[in-house]
Amino acid sequence: MQNNLKTYVLLAVVVLIWGIIGYKIISWMNQDEAPIPQATFSEFKPKQLKSRDTFSIVADYRDPFLGSFESQTTSKRITKSSLPIKTTLPEVSIVYTGIITDTETKSNIYFITINGQQYLMNLKDKIQEVQLVSGNSIAIKVKYHNQLMTIPIQK
């Protein structure tokens, strides 16, 4: 009987503990969420701005680098006269590197490098505003923005 009494007491304690755990889980699952409080907005009223206090600095002290006082001359406004504006052509790098001659058709193909990019050009071809006017195995003549330039072969 002693053994059965201990078993019944331990069974009652286990049932009690599991009951408490079950109650906490069920109450947690059935918990009604509290409503989220709504924010109330009041009317926006900006602050009044104060007028700025103006001041001027008088720099009548010795120049620490030159050792002299600032001259009291007033700065005169310099107006630009209507001088003709010089338009400069954009810089272009043209290098003549070689020629290939076709013996059957007597046509020439010129190797010309313009701004670092090599091109194969025939007479009167125009690439990047550079037009090949004439050429031989020594030099070529190109026209760039209506200016004629003679470029010798680069070896």
mmCIF file of all heavy atoms in Angstrom, residues 22-58:
data_model
loop_
_atom_site.group_PDB
_atom_site.id
_atom_site.type_symbol
_atom_site.label_atom_id
_atom_site.label_comp_id
_atom_site.label_asym_id
_atom_site.label_seq_id
_atom_site.Cartn_x
_atom_site.Cartn_y
_atom_site.Cartn_z
ATOM 1 N N GLY A 22 -0.494 23.205 -19.656
ATOM 2 C CA GLY A 22 -1.567 23.246 -20.653
ATOM 3 C C GLY A 22 -2.390 24.518 -20.529
ATOM 4 O O GLY A 22 -2.776 25.122 -21.537
ATOM 5 N N TYR A 23 -2.712 24.935 -19.301
ATOM 6 C CA TYR A 23 -3.480 26.158 -19.083
ATOM 7 C C TYR A 23 -2.738 27.374 -19.634
ATOM 8 O O TYR A 23 -3.333 28.246 -20.262
ATOM 9 C CB TYR A 23 -3.785 26.328 -17.592
ATOM 10 C CG TYR A 23 -4.462 27.632 -17.267
ATOM 11 C CD1 TYR A 23 -5.814 27.809 -17.560
ATOM 12 C CD2 TYR A 23 -3.756 28.684 -16.688
ATOM 13 C CE1 TYR A 23 -6.435 29.008 -17.271
ATOM 14 C CE2 TYR A 23 -4.365 29.882 -16.407
ATOM 15 C CZ TYR A 23 -5.708 30.046 -16.696
ATOM 16 O OH TYR A 23 -6.322 31.235 -16.422
ATOM 17 N N LYS A 24 -1.413 27.452 -19.382
ATOM 18 C CA LYS A 24 -0.628 28.595 -19.862
ATOM 19 C C LYS A 24 -0.609 28.634 -21.389
ATOM 20 O O LYS A 24 -0.728 29.706 -21.994
ATOM 21 C CB LYS A 24 0.784 28.514 -19.310
ATOM 22 C CG LYS A 24 0.838 28.692 -17.810
ATOM 23 C CD LYS A 24 1.988 29.550 -17.447
ATOM 24 C CE LYS A 24 1.983 29.686 -15.933
ATOM 25 N NZ LYS A 24 2.374 30.965 -15.526
ATOM 26 N N ILE A 25 -0.477 27.461 -22.036
ATOM 27 C CA ILE A 25 -0.444 27.425 -23.502
ATOM 28 C C ILE A 25 -1.789 27.832 -24.078
ATOM 29 O O ILE A 25 -1.873 28.637 -25.009
ATOM 30 C CB ILE A 25 -0.028 26.017 -23.990
ATOM 31 C CG1 ILE A 25 1.444 25.775 -23.672
ATOM 32 C CG2 ILE A 25 -0.254 25.874 -25.498
ATOM 33 C CD1 ILE A 25 1.916 24.369 -23.972
ATOM 34 N N ILE A 26 -2.877 27.311 -23.513
ATOM 35 C CA ILE A 26 -4.208 27.649 -24.021
ATOM 36 C C ILE A 26 -4.532 29.116 -23.779
ATOM 37 O O ILE A 26 -5.097 29.795 -24.641
ATOM 38 C CB ILE A 26 -5.273 26.719 -23.398
ATOM 39 C CG1 ILE A 26 -5.086 25.304 -23.941
ATOM 40 C CG2 ILE A 26 -6.681 27.212 -23.691
ATOM 41 C CD1 ILE A 26 -5.935 24.264 -23.282
ATOM 42 N N SER A 27 -4.171 29.644 -22.632
ATOM 43 C CA SER A 27 -4.451 31.059 -22.367
ATOM 44 C C SER A 27 -3.602 31.961 -23.269
ATOM 45 O O SER A 27 -4.022 33.046 -23.656
ATOM 46 C CB SER A 27 -4.209 31.385 -20.890
ATOM 47 O OG SER A 27 -2.830 31.277 -20.582
ATOM 48 N N TRP A 28 -2.420 31.476 -23.603
ATOM 49 C CA TRP A 28 -1.555 32.271 -24.494
ATOM 50 C C TRP A 28 -2.130 32.269 -25.914
ATOM 51 O O TRP A 28 -2.088 33.274 -26.599
ATOM 52 C CB TRP A 28 -0.143 31.681 -24.497
ATOM 53 C CG TRP A 28 0.769 32.341 -25.484
ATOM 54 C CD1 TRP A 28 1.339 33.563 -25.385
ATOM 55 C CD2 TRP A 28 1.218 31.800 -26.730
ATOM 56 N NE1 TRP A 28 2.119 33.823 -26.470
ATOM 57 C CE2 TRP A 28 2.062 32.747 -27.327
ATOM 58 C CE3 TRP A 28 0.990 30.604 -27.390
ATOM 59 C CZ2 TRP A 28 2.678 32.543 -28.554
ATOM 60 C CZ3 TRP A 28 1.612 30.397 -28.604
ATOM 61 C CH2 TRP A 28 2.432 31.359 -29.178
ATOM 62 N N MET A 29 -2.693 31.144 -26.370
ATOM 63 C CA MET A 29 -3.241 31.046 -27.715
ATOM 64 C C MET A 29 -4.559 31.790 -27.848
ATOM 65 O O MET A 29 -4.870 32.325 -28.917
ATOM 66 C CB MET A 29 -3.436 29.579 -28.098
ATOM 67 C CG MET A 29 -2.114 28.865 -28.313
ATOM 68 S SD MET A 29 -2.295 27.126 -28.635
ATOM 69 C CE MET A 29 -3.114 27.112 -30.195
ATOM 70 N N ASN A 30 -5.339 31.855 -26.819
ATOM 71 C CA ASN A 30 -6.635 32.525 -26.869
ATOM 72 C C ASN A 30 -6.562 33.974 -26.416
ATOM 73 O O ASN A 30 -7.579 34.591 -26.174
ATOM 74 C CB ASN A 30 -7.661 31.778 -26.005
ATOM 75 C CG ASN A 30 -8.029 30.453 -26.624
ATOM 76 O OD1 ASN A 30 -7.934 30.285 -27.825
ATOM 77 N ND2 ASN A 30 -8.444 29.501 -25.788
ATOM 78 N N GLN A 31 -5.404 34.471 -26.319
ATOM 79 C CA GLN A 31 -5.232 35.834 -25.820
ATOM 80 C C GLN A 31 -5.751 36.831 -26.848
ATOM 81 O O GLN A 31 -5.410 36.777 -28.021
ATOM 82 C CB GLN A 31 -3.742 36.081 -25.556
ATOM 83 C CG GLN A 31 -3.441 37.388 -24.884
ATOM 84 C CD GLN A 31 -1.936 37.515 -24.636
ATOM 85 O OE1 GLN A 31 -1.149 37.017 -25.398
ATOM 86 N NE2 GLN A 31 -1.586 38.166 -23.567
ATOM 87 N N ASP A 32 -6.624 37.713 -26.465
ATOM 88 C CA ASP A 32 -7.120 38.767 -27.344
ATOM 89 C C ASP A 32 -6.056 39.852 -27.420
ATOM 90 O O ASP A 32 -5.576 40.345 -26.396
ATOM 91 C CB ASP A 32 -8.429 39.361 -26.807
ATOM 92 C CG ASP A 32 -9.564 38.357 -26.905
ATOM 93 O OD1 ASP A 32 -9.477 37.477 -27.786
ATOM 94 O OD2 ASP A 32 -10.509 38.466 -26.105
ATOM 95 N N GLU A 33 -5.741 40.207 -28.660
ATOM 96 C CA GLU A 33 -4.715 41.243 -28.829
ATOM 97 C C GLU A 33 -5.302 42.593 -28.451
ATOM 98 O O GLU A 33 -6.426 42.928 -28.811
ATOM 99 C CB GLU A 33 -4.225 41.265 -30.270
ATOM 100 C CG GLU A 33 -3.458 40.019 -30.642
ATOM 101 C CD GLU A 33 -2.853 40.117 -32.029
ATOM 102 O OE1 GLU A 33 -2.691 41.233 -32.527
ATOM 103 O OE2 GLU A 33 -2.560 39.062 -32.590
ATOM 104 N N ALA A 34 -4.494 43.343 -27.767
ATOM 105 C CA ALA A 34 -4.938 44.671 -27.365
ATOM 106 C C ALA A 34 -4.956 45.560 -28.607
ATOM 107 O O ALA A 34 -4.079 45.473 -29.452
ATOM 108 C CB ALA A 34 -3.980 45.245 -26.321
ATOM 109 N N PRO A 35 -5.959 46.391 -28.739
ATOM 110 C CA PRO A 35 -6.008 47.258 -29.920
ATOM 111 C C PRO A 35 -4.826 48.233 -29.919
ATOM 112 O O PRO A 35 -4.383 48.708 -28.878
ATOM 113 C CB PRO A 35 -7.341 47.994 -29.781
ATOM 114 C CG PRO A 35 -7.652 47.920 -28.327
ATOM 115 C CD PRO A 35 -7.056 46.635 -27.828
ATOM 116 N N ILE A 36 -4.304 48.474 -31.118
ATOM 117 C CA ILE A 36 -3.169 49.397 -31.260
ATOM 118 C C ILE A 36 -3.699 50.813 -31.090
ATOM 119 O O ILE A 36 -4.673 51.205 -31.747
ATOM 120 C CB ILE A 36 -2.519 49.230 -32.644
ATOM 121 C CG1 ILE A 36 -1.997 47.806 -32.788
ATOM 122 C CG2 ILE A 36 -1.400 50.234 -32.837
ATOM 123 C CD1 ILE A 36 -1.480 47.484 -34.167
ATOM 124 N N PRO A 37 -3.091 51.562 -30.198
ATOM 125 C CA PRO A 37 -3.589 52.926 -29.999
ATOM 126 C C PRO A 37 -3.377 53.771 -31.256
ATOM 127 O O PRO A 37 -2.340 53.691 -31.903
ATOM 128 C CB PRO A 37 -2.758 53.453 -28.829
ATOM 129 C CG PRO A 37 -1.568 52.566 -28.760
ATOM 130 C CD PRO A 37 -1.961 51.261 -29.348
ATOM 131 N N GLN A 38 -4.371 54.530 -31.596
ATOM 132 C CA GLN A 38 -4.303 55.380 -32.775
ATOM 133 C C GLN A 38 -3.619 56.689 -32.411
ATOM 134 O O GLN A 38 -3.870 57.267 -31.353
ATOM 135 C CB GLN A 38 -5.722 55.671 -33.298
ATOM 136 C CG GLN A 38 -6.464 54.436 -33.769
ATOM 137 C CD GLN A 38 -5.797 53.817 -34.990
ATOM 138 O OE1 GLN A 38 -5.266 54.521 -35.830
ATOM 139 N NE2 GLN A 38 -5.810 52.496 -35.044
ATOM 140 N N ALA A 39 -2.762 57.123 -33.321
ATOM 141 C CA ALA A 39 -2.050 58.377 -33.096
ATOM 142 C C ALA A 39 -2.981 59.538 -33.414
ATOM 143 O O ALA A 39 -3.727 59.516 -34.389
ATOM 144 C CB ALA A 39 -0.820 58.450 -33.992
ATOM 145 N N THR A 40 -2.923 60.526 -32.596
ATOM 146 C CA THR A 40 -3.735 61.712 -32.836
ATOM 147 C C THR A 40 -2.829 62.791 -33.404
ATOM 148 O O THR A 40 -1.711 63.009 -32.942
ATOM 149 C CB THR A 40 -4.369 62.218 -31.523
ATOM 150 O OG1 THR A 40 -3.334 62.484 -30.583
ATOM 151 C CG2 THR A 40 -5.318 61.166 -30.948
ATOM 152 N N PHE A 41 -3.292 63.411 -34.444
ATOM 153 C CA PHE A 41 -2.512 64.443 -35.104
ATOM 154 C C PHE A 41 -3.080 65.803 -34.751
ATOM 155 O O PHE A 41 -4.278 66.033 -34.843
ATOM 156 C CB PHE A 41 -2.558 64.259 -36.625
ATOM 157 C CG PHE A 41 -1.917 62.980 -37.074
ATOM 158 C CD1 PHE A 41 -2.692 61.896 -37.465
ATOM 159 C CD2 PHE A 41 -0.541 62.853 -37.093
ATOM 160 C CE1 PHE A 41 -2.112 60.724 -37.871
ATOM 161 C CE2 PHE A 41 0.054 61.678 -37.501
ATOM 162 C CZ PHE A 41 -0.727 60.608 -37.895
ATOM 163 N N SER A 42 -2.178 66.668 -34.375
ATOM 164 C CA SER A 42 -2.609 68.031 -34.118
ATOM 165 C C SER A 42 -2.223 68.876 -35.323
ATOM 166 O O SER A 42 -1.420 68.484 -36.155
ATOM 167 C CB SER A 42 -1.939 68.573 -32.842
ATOM 168 O OG SER A 42 -0.533 68.584 -32.998
ATOM 169 N N GLU A 43 -2.758 70.042 -35.422
ATOM 170 C CA GLU A 43 -2.495 70.916 -36.555
ATOM 171 C C GLU A 43 -1.079 71.457 -36.466
ATOM 172 O O GLU A 43 -0.609 71.843 -35.400
ATOM 173 C CB GLU A 43 -3.508 72.068 -36.545
ATOM 174 C CG GLU A 43 -3.488 72.878 -37.813
ATOM 175 C CD GLU A 43 -4.608 73.893 -37.826
ATOM 176 O OE1 GLU A 43 -5.737 73.537 -37.424
ATOM 177 O OE2 GLU A 43 -4.338 75.022 -38.224
ATOM 178 N N PHE A 44 -0.378 71.472 -37.613
ATOM 179 C CA PHE A 44 1.005 71.930 -37.664
ATOM 180 C C PHE A 44 1.036 73.456 -37.655
ATOM 181 O O PHE A 44 0.379 74.111 -38.463
ATOM 182 C CB PHE A 44 1.692 71.408 -38.927
ATOM 183 C CG PHE A 44 3.088 71.926 -39.103
ATOM 184 C CD1 PHE A 44 4.113 71.498 -38.276
ATOM 185 C CD2 PHE A 44 3.386 72.843 -40.086
ATOM 186 C CE1 PHE A 44 5.392 71.966 -38.427
ATOM 187 C CE2 PHE A 44 4.656 73.320 -40.253
ATOM 188 C CZ PHE A 44 5.681 72.877 -39.428
ATOM 189 N N LYS A 45 1.823 73.990 -36.745
ATOM 190 C CA LYS A 45 1.976 75.446 -36.645
ATOM 191 C C LYS A 45 3.470 75.753 -36.692
ATOM 192 O O LYS A 45 4.182 75.467 -35.727
ATOM 193 C CB LYS A 45 1.376 75.970 -35.349
ATOM 194 C CG LYS A 45 -0.114 75.757 -35.256
ATOM 195 C CD LYS A 45 -0.656 76.241 -33.937
ATOM 196 C CE LYS A 45 -2.135 75.897 -33.821
ATOM 197 N NZ LYS A 45 -2.663 76.218 -32.516
ATOM 198 N N PRO A 46 3.974 76.310 -37.796
ATOM 199 C CA PRO A 46 5.400 76.609 -37.873
ATOM 200 C C PRO A 46 5.759 77.777 -36.960
ATOM 201 O O PRO A 46 4.935 78.646 -36.666
ATOM 202 C CB PRO A 46 5.617 76.976 -39.345
ATOM 203 C CG PRO A 46 4.290 77.415 -39.832
ATOM 204 C CD PRO A 46 3.275 76.651 -39.024
ATOM 205 N N LYS A 47 7.006 77.767 -36.537
ATOM 206 C CA LYS A 47 7.476 78.844 -35.671
ATOM 207 C C LYS A 47 7.682 80.106 -36.491
ATOM 208 O O LYS A 47 7.985 80.063 -37.674
ATOM 209 C CB LYS A 47 8.798 78.453 -35.012
ATOM 210 C CG LYS A 47 8.660 77.318 -34.037
ATOM 211 C CD LYS A 47 9.993 77.039 -33.392
ATOM 212 C CE LYS A 47 9.880 75.907 -32.386
ATOM 213 N NZ LYS A 47 11.165 75.631 -31.746
ATOM 214 N N GLN A 48 7.513 81.219 -35.851
ATOM 215 C CA GLN A 48 7.734 82.494 -36.503
ATOM 216 C C GLN A 48 9.233 82.723 -36.667
ATOM 217 O O GLN A 48 10.006 82.523 -35.742
ATOM 218 C CB GLN A 48 7.124 83.632 -35.669
ATOM 219 C CG GLN A 48 5.623 83.565 -35.544
ATOM 220 C CD GLN A 48 4.947 83.799 -36.879
ATOM 221 O OE1 GLN A 48 5.457 84.523 -37.721
ATOM 222 N NE2 GLN A 48 3.795 83.175 -37.063
ATOM 223 N N LEU A 49 9.643 83.121 -37.865
ATOM 224 C CA LEU A 49 11.050 83.377 -38.117
ATOM 225 C C LEU A 49 11.397 84.801 -37.725
ATOM 226 O O LEU A 49 10.648 85.737 -37.995
ATOM 227 C CB LEU A 49 11.375 83.162 -39.597
ATOM 228 C CG LEU A 49 11.217 81.741 -40.125
ATOM 229 C CD1 LEU A 49 11.506 81.721 -41.619
ATOM 230 C CD2 LEU A 49 12.165 80.811 -39.405
ATOM 231 N N LYS A 50 12.552 84.921 -37.127
ATOM 232 C CA LYS A 50 13.034 86.246 -36.769
ATOM 233 C C LYS A 50 13.832 86.802 -37.925
ATOM 234 O O LYS A 50 14.444 86.069 -38.694
ATOM 235 C CB LYS A 50 13.926 86.168 -35.530
ATOM 236 C CG LYS A 50 13.209 85.679 -34.298
ATOM 237 C CD LYS A 50 14.159 85.602 -33.134
ATOM 238 C CE LYS A 50 13.468 85.067 -31.903
ATOM 239 N NZ LYS A 50 14.386 84.907 -30.781
ATOM 240 N N SER A 51 13.825 88.116 -38.073
ATOM 241 C CA SER A 51 14.620 88.712 -39.148
ATOM 242 C C SER A 51 16.103 88.571 -38.805
ATOM 243 O O SER A 51 16.497 88.608 -37.637
ATOM 244 C CB SER A 51 14.249 90.192 -39.325
ATOM 245 O OG SER A 51 14.531 90.898 -38.131
ATOM 246 N N ARG A 52 16.910 88.381 -39.823
ATOM 247 C CA ARG A 52 18.336 88.165 -39.605
ATOM 248 C C ARG A 52 19.029 89.466 -39.242
ATOM 249 O O ARG A 52 18.718 90.531 -39.769
ATOM 250 C CB ARG A 52 18.986 87.595 -40.848
ATOM 251 C CG ARG A 52 18.575 86.191 -41.124
ATOM 252 C CD ARG A 52 19.391 85.639 -42.225
ATOM 253 N NE ARG A 52 19.093 84.222 -42.376
ATOM 254 C CZ ARG A 52 19.872 83.365 -42.944
ATOM 255 N NH1 ARG A 52 21.003 83.765 -43.449
ATOM 256 N NH2 ARG A 52 19.532 82.106 -43.033
ATOM 257 N N ASP A 53 19.987 89.319 -38.375
ATOM 258 C CA ASP A 53 20.809 90.450 -37.990
ATOM 259 C C ASP A 53 21.957 90.540 -38.990
ATOM 260 O O ASP A 53 22.697 89.581 -39.189
ATOM 261 C CB ASP A 53 21.350 90.242 -36.564
ATOM 262 C CG ASP A 53 22.114 91.446 -36.067
ATOM 263 O OD1 ASP A 53 21.902 92.547 -36.605
ATOM 264 O OD2 ASP A 53 22.925 91.271 -35.143
ATOM 265 N N THR A 54 22.083 91.663 -39.661
ATOM 266 C CA THR A 54 23.135 91.816 -40.660
ATOM 267 C C THR A 54 24.314 92.530 -40.048
ATOM 268 O O THR A 54 24.180 93.343 -39.132
ATOM 269 C CB THR A 54 22.625 92.606 -41.876
ATOM 270 O OG1 THR A 54 22.173 93.882 -41.422
ATOM 271 C CG2 THR A 54 21.491 91.876 -42.561
ATOM 272 N N PHE A 55 25.491 92.220 -40.559
ATOM 273 C CA PHE A 55 26.712 92.850 -40.081
ATOM 274 C C PHE A 55 27.717 92.865 -41.215
ATOM 275 O O PHE A 55 27.551 92.200 -42.229
ATOM 276 C CB PHE A 55 27.289 92.114 -38.867
ATOM 277 C CG PHE A 55 27.654 90.693 -39.162
ATOM 278 C CD1 PHE A 55 28.926 90.353 -39.575
ATOM 279 C CD2 PHE A 55 26.711 89.685 -39.024
ATOM 280 C CE1 PHE A 55 29.259 89.051 -39.856
ATOM 281 C CE2 PHE A 55 27.033 88.383 -39.288
ATOM 282 C CZ PHE A 55 28.314 88.058 -39.712
ATOM 283 N N SER A 56 28.754 93.644 -41.053
ATOM 284 C CA SER A 56 29.838 93.682 -42.038
ATOM 285 C C SER A 56 31.158 93.630 -41.286
ATOM 286 O O SER A 56 31.276 94.094 -40.159
ATOM 287 C CB SER A 56 29.755 94.944 -42.894
ATOM 288 O OG SER A 56 29.923 96.082 -42.072
ATOM 289 N N ILE A 57 32.143 93.043 -41.941
ATOM 290 C CA ILE A 57 33.462 92.896 -41.337
ATOM 291 C C ILE A 57 34.390 93.913 -41.981
ATOM 292 O O ILE A 57 34.485 94.006 -43.200
ATOM 293 C CB ILE A 57 34.001 91.475 -41.549
ATOM 294 C CG1 ILE A 57 33.089 90.465 -40.848
ATOM 295 C CG2 ILE A 57 35.427 91.354 -41.051
ATOM 296 C CD1 ILE A 57 33.468 89.029 -41.108
ATOM 297 N N VAL A 58 35.073 94.635 -41.158
ATOM 298 C CA VAL A 58 36.048 95.599 -41.644
ATOM 299 C C VAL A 58 37.425 94.991 -41.401
ATOM 300 O O VAL A 58 37.830 94.786 -40.259
ATOM 301 C CB VAL A 58 35.908 96.950 -40.909
ATOM 302 C CG1 VAL A 58 36.956 97.938 -41.392
ATOM 303 C CG2 VAL A 58 34.512 97.498 -41.084
#
